[in-house]
Amino acid sequence: NLAEASKGANQKVTLNMREGYDHSYYFVAAFIRDHVKFHAARLKERKQKEEQEALLSGDISSTSGKPITCTAMVARGPKQPLAEETIVVQVME
């Protein structure tokens, strides 16, 4: 039993049991969209965390050779007010 094994290993598990379903093809087919969304959200969180940690550590390998989108304060001419803009820093070749 997965639930019991996870307790014994001190591992957090989210079980998605539905009354009337076993873990057969029909269960998977009926709920695969929810399953993929569940894991996609966690992978996205993990990727964002890893990218943030890389930036804080000074590791730029995740952005090396790629355009970077950021927010910057920009003055479009002398004595012009600063405006917050989203800019893309392109890769120099």
Side-chain angles (χ1 to χ4, degrees):
N1 181 317
L2 181 62
E4 293 302 317
S6 66
K7 288 178 189 174
N10 199 26
Q11 178 65 43
K12 182 181 175 187
V13 173
T14 302
L15 291 175
N16 182 8
M17 304 298 290
R18 305 285 176 108
E19 190 171 331
Y21 288 90
D22 58 10
H23 205 76
S24 67
Y25 166 83
Y26 298 104
F27 175 85
V28 173
F31 301 105
I32 193 67
R33 183 180 306 262
D34 294 340
H35 185 78
V36 171
K37 285 170 71 175
F38 175 86
H39 288 288
R42 274 134 196 92
L43 288 170
K44 183 177 179 182
E45 289 170 9
R46 181 177 174 178
K47 182 179 180 197
Q48 288 172 339
K49 181 180 177 184
E50 288 173 353
E51 288 174 347
Q52 183 67 26
E53 288 172 354
L55 288 173
L56 294 175
S57 72
D59 177 9
I60 61 167
S61 63
S62 65
T63 58
S64 182
K66 301 175 187 173
I68 301 170
T69 302
C70 58
T71 302
M73 298 302 288
V74 178
R76 292 292 176 182
K79 299 185 180 185
Q80 294 296 308
L82 291 173
E84 184 177 304
E85 296 183 16
T86 300
I87 62 169
V88 177
V89 179
Q90 295 293 338
V91 177
M92 299 294 291
E93 293 187 23

